[in-house]
Every structure is written in C-alpha cells, then in structure tokens.
Amino acid sequence: MIRLYFLQALYHLRENPIITWVSVLGTAMAICMIMVLVITFQVRLVDCEPEVNRSRTLHVPYMSVKQKGKSDNESANSSMSVRTGRECFRTLTTPEAVTLVSGVDKVRASVPAGSKATADMVQTDEAFWTVFSFRFLSGAGFTRADCDAGLPHAVLSASIARQLFGTTDVVGHTIQLNYVDYTVTGVVADVSMLATAAYAQIWVPYTAADAESLSWRDDTMGPMHAVILAHSSADFDAIRDETELLRQKYNDGLRDVEIFYRGQPDTQLAYLYRRWYAEPDVPGVMLRYGIVIAILLLVPAVNLSGMTLSRMRRRMAEIGVRKAFGATGGELMRQVFFENFVLTLLAGVVGLALSYAATFLLNDFLFSNSMNAYLSGETVLTPGMLLSPWAFIAAFAFCLLMNVLSAGIPAWRASRMNITDAINQR
C-alpha cells in the first residue's frame, strides 16, 4: 500500500511540473538558508578537532585592572601577564587542566641557509596539548620539563613544515624564528582559523620566548589568556568560585592596583561574542538567531502554503470522484500526506546540498572577519563542523508540517463534503 501511495504521489507531482518545482525550490531555499545560518554558528561552537572539548571549556581572554578604591569604569582592559595567569589560573585545582596562551604573532620562520616563510605563532605551555587534541603527524608536543627549563622547542603545522623542509618528518631539525634557533619536537595537521582558541602555525613555550617580559600595570597585564578544561560542564560554577578566591588572594598581594574579570571565565558561546571589556549578551544573541531562523522559515512557508492550498482546491473534484468510488477519508488523508512528504523530502535533499555548496563557495564571505583578517591560515571546514542533523530535521519537519497542513485542511474538508458538492467544487 505504501508503495502505491508513493507511486501516486510521484504521478501527481509530475502532473504539474512547474508548480512542483517552484514548491521544491522554495522549500529547498528555506532549508538551505537555515542550514547555512546554523553552520556559520556551529562551526565555532560544537566540539571539533582540535577543540574537541569546547562543551567543557572555559575562557578568560581579557581582564581589567584599576587602582584600588576606584570604580570599575576607571579601569584598563587587556589580556593578562604570565604572572597573573600562573597565580590566578594555573594554580586552580578543580579543573582537569589549565593552559596559558598568547595572542597570535607574526614571525619570520626560516631554515638556516634555506627556505623562509611568514607564519602565525603563539606562545603556550605543556598543558596546551591536554586542553586541545591535535593530530600529530610526527613527534609530540613540548613537555613540562621543556617549559620549566625554557628550552627553545617548537611544534609546526604540516603546511609550514612542508614549506620549509619539504616534508613533515622534521623532528629534531632546527628552525629559526625571528633569527632565534628552535628545535622541532613535533608536527601537527593544519588547524583551521575557525578554531579560534587553538589556531596557530607554530607553537613554542612562553618560557623560551618573550611573553614573560611583555607586561605592564605592575606586572598584571600582558599577552596571555587562560583556557580552562573542566572535568565536566557541571564543574563550571565550582571553577568560577575557586577563580574568584584566587583573584582576591592575588589582589591582596598587590599594593596599588587590583584585577577583575567582568563575568569571566566564559563558556564557549560567551567567549565568541565577548568584545574586550563588554560582557556578552548571550540571551540577546540567541534571541536574534531565533528571530532570523523564524523569519527564514515563515516567509517562504507562507508563500508555499498558498501555492499548495491552491493546488489542493483544484483537486477537490478528483477527491469527490475518489469518494464516489469508495475511497475513505483516512485513505485520502494518507495520500495527501505521502504526496507532501515526497515533495518535502526532495526539497530537503536539494536544500541540504545547496547549503553545503553555499558554505564552501562563500567560505571567505561567511567566516572572514577583523579577528582573522591578518592571519596566514585558512578557514578550513571539517565534516564535524558541517554536520547538523538536528537543525536539518527541525527545518525539514517544519516545512513538512506547513505543506501537510496547507494540503491537508482542504483535503479533510473535501473528504467530509457531499460527493456532489466536492465534484462541483462548491
């Protein structure tokens, strides 16, 4: 019986090809626009390599410092110094791991008497390789012993290794970063710039570079930010409480100034929308996304519903004839459902394909911004970033519901009408 319903549905869709394809493309475009919106949102939010622990990670990208006794509005805002990071975050006991990471700097990378390149470099510590999950092609990250000793070690991305050495098997080789010799300890797969907290092309210990010397405001501010990996997101409140205790203890040791975090540590979502000292309006962000998605769903759905309703009204005579030959109301409603299911399924497949094509073709337009405009990497998209089954199912279900209601209500009314009235379309 189901096979018969599908064959009848395909016949009716072929019977009015223009209306069918307008309906299919309209529904497909609605699904496409929603999927593109969801993809641009989720690529920075869902767990994906190397930021596989986003759901249980907290960030402290900025902090503020003020004179003791002054108001919060009379403050300076920047990232933290190595000293602040060590005393306020590296000593945390509740989380699984805490790493300090500098901002991205441009460096001249070269091989002695060989190739050279401009690369994006960050300074960090051994915990960085625990907080983030990199795919090592050779070697490994630098260790705590390396960091404690201030050894000039470096981890390279695959593209930089190939550009300088022609291969990724370069562990133990020497590389010059701004004319300073470093020993390569490992090579990792390239990292997309969409992994904002983990991205770089070269990673070195901050104890072997200049991060510790770059500080100001009584050695409270500097180039670093903290990334905290919790055992579970349920530990977030406990981590924030311990962070506040360490902040107060640290401030007690400062003579003239004190630091504060303006609502940090941030979850991944708040971290994405924080701009310097301004605390992110996360509920407002979610509300705006919800409104946009609702508009993208409702506007095409209303238009397509009108077309579906008009098509069904023209078929009322057919419904009357089928009733005259013994078709029940349930059979008629099931037929209407299957027709619209086939139409929406076809539109969903087309819409999903269009959304992936649009995401790749409009990559620079969708993902380039002032934060990564000067970086040398690429906004590479991985399958984990693109797959959003729940968003697709929700959009598909909504379009199916609108189509079924638009066709089902007239069909239901016709199934309950007098056969003569239905045939005469009264």
Side-chain angles (χ1 to χ4, degrees):
M1 182 63 71
I2 293 178
R3 180 174 177 274
L4 178 61
Y5 284 147
F6 273 111
L7 291 175
Q8 290 175 339
L10 291 174
Y11 171 78
H12 284 296
L13 292 178
R14 289 197 303 267
E15 190 177 28
N16 298 290
I18 296 178
I19 294 178
T20 296
W21 281 109
V22 169
S23 299
V24 167
L25 292 177
T27 305
M29 288 304 298
I31 292 175
C32 171
M33 289 186 289
I34 291 168
M35 289 300 297
V36 169
L37 183 66
V38 170
I39 288 171
T40 57
F41 182 72
Q42 77 165 10
V43 291
R44 297 182 175 93
L45 191 63
V46 300
D47 295 347
C48 56
E49 188 180 285
E51 297 180 358
V52 297
N53 299 309
R54 284 174 172 173
S55 57
R56 57 187 182 101
T57 298
L58 293 171
H59 300 263
V60 187
Y62 308 112
M63 51 164 278
S64 300
V65 61
K66 64 179 181 178
Q67 292 294 124
K68 289 186 174 180
K70 297 291 186 179
S71 72
D72 290 355
N73 293 328
E74 300 177 82
S75 64
N77 308 287
S78 182
S79 44
M80 68 187 69
S81 66
V82 171
R83 174 196 170 197
T84 300
R86 282 174 172 164
E87 296 191 30
C88 294
F89 297 100
R90 287 281 285 174
T91 53
L92 287 168
T93 59
T94 306
E96 179 180 332
V98 179
T99 183
L100 301 180
V101 188
S102 72
V104 179
D105 289 320
K106 291 288 185 185
V107 295
R108 181 187 186 276
S110 60
V111 176
S115 302
K116 58 182 180 293
T118 299
D120 299 327
M121 184 186 82
V122 300
Q123 304 175 42
T124 185
D125 50 44
E126 79 287 347
F128 185 82
W129 312 110
T130 300
V131 174
F132 302 109
S133 181
F134 288 81
R135 182 160 52 91
F136 277 85
L137 305 180
S138 63
F142 36 81
T143 65
R144 181 169 185 174
D146 296 337
C147 294
D148 290 344
L151 297 179
H153 288 172
V155 173
L156 309 183
S157 68
S159 60
I160 291 298
R162 292 190 184 99
Q163 190 172 349
L164 295 178
F165 297 98
T167 179
T168 58
D169 188 16
V170 295
V171 173
H173 287 60
T174 297
I175 183 176
Q176 291 185 333
L177 303 176
N178 289 341
Y179 305 101
V180 176
D181 288 347
Y182 284 78
T183 301
V184 178
T185 64
V187 177
V188 298
D190 288 346
V191 179
S192 171
M193 290 193 297
L194 297 173
T196 52
Y199 169 77
Q201 294 175 312
I202 300 175
W203 298 262
V204 301
Y206 58 74
T207 52
D210 60 359
E212 291 183 281
S213 63
L214 298 175
S215 64
W216 55 95
R217 290 303 296 266
D218 295 341
D219 197 21
T220 59
M221 310 188 90
M224 312 300 288
H225 61 271
V227 184
I228 305 166
L229 177 63
H231 292 284
S232 165
S233 59
D235 296 336
F236 283 176
D237 288 340
I239 291 172
R240 291 189 176 100
D241 291 342
E242 187 182 3
T243 298
E244 180 60 20
L245 291 175
L246 290 176
R247 184 188 72 85
Q248 294 174 1
K249 180 181 177 181
Y250 183 66
N251 283 338
D252 290 341
L254 299 175
R255 188 174 67 178
D256 300 318
V257 299
E258 61 180 313
I259 66 169
F260 58 102
Y261 304 137
R262 298 185 183 276
Q264 299 172 92
D266 287 334
T267 61
Q268 179 70 17
L269 180 60
Y271 162 67
L272 293 176
Y273 289 94
R274 178 176 289 274
R275 293 296 178 264
W276 290 98
Y277 63 88
E279 295 188 32
D281 179 17
V282 174
V285 170
M286 299 305 295
L287 177 61
R288 288 192 293 273
Y289 267 98
I291 291 173
V292 171
I293 288 176
I295 292 172
L296 291 177
L297 277 172
L298 287 174
V299 172
V302 170
N303 292 329
L304 292 171
S305 296
M307 293 182 60
T308 305
L309 179 61
S310 175
R311 185 182 65 186
M312 287 308 301
R313 282 177 175 170
R314 288 198 298 271
R315 291 182 58 193
M316 288 180 68
E318 173 196 335
I319 293 174
V321 171
R322 293 186 64 185
K323 282 192 64 179
F325 280 90
T328 65
E331 290 175 338
L332 293 173
M333 293 304 295
R334 282 193 293 274
Q335 179 61 38
V336 168
F337 172 80
F338 274 100
E339 284 182 22
N340 285 276
F341 178 79
V342 171
L343 187 147
T344 309
L345 181 63
L346 178 59
V349 173
V350 174
L352 190 62
L354 286 175
S355 69
Y356 290 149
T359 302
F360 279 104
L361 293 175
L362 302 176
N363 187 309
D364 291 338
F365 173 78
L366 293 173
F367 302 113
S368 294
N369 54 50
S370 59
M371 304 294 289
N372 60 29
Y374 79 103
L375 300 178
S376 302
E378 297 180 355
T379 52
V380 178
L381 297 168
T382 65
M385 295 177 178
L386 292 174
L387 294 177
S388 182
W390 290 113
F392 174 73
I393 291 172
F396 176 85
F398 182 84
C399 293
L400 176 61
L401 176 64
M402 293 297 292
N403 284 338
V404 169
L405 287 177
S406 303
I409 292 175
W412 176 78
R413 289 180 59 195
S415 68
R416 297 173 63 87
M417 291 173 63
N418 181 278
I419 293 176
T420 305
D421 292 337
I423 292 174
N424 293 324
Q425 300 186 32
R426 293 177 183 174

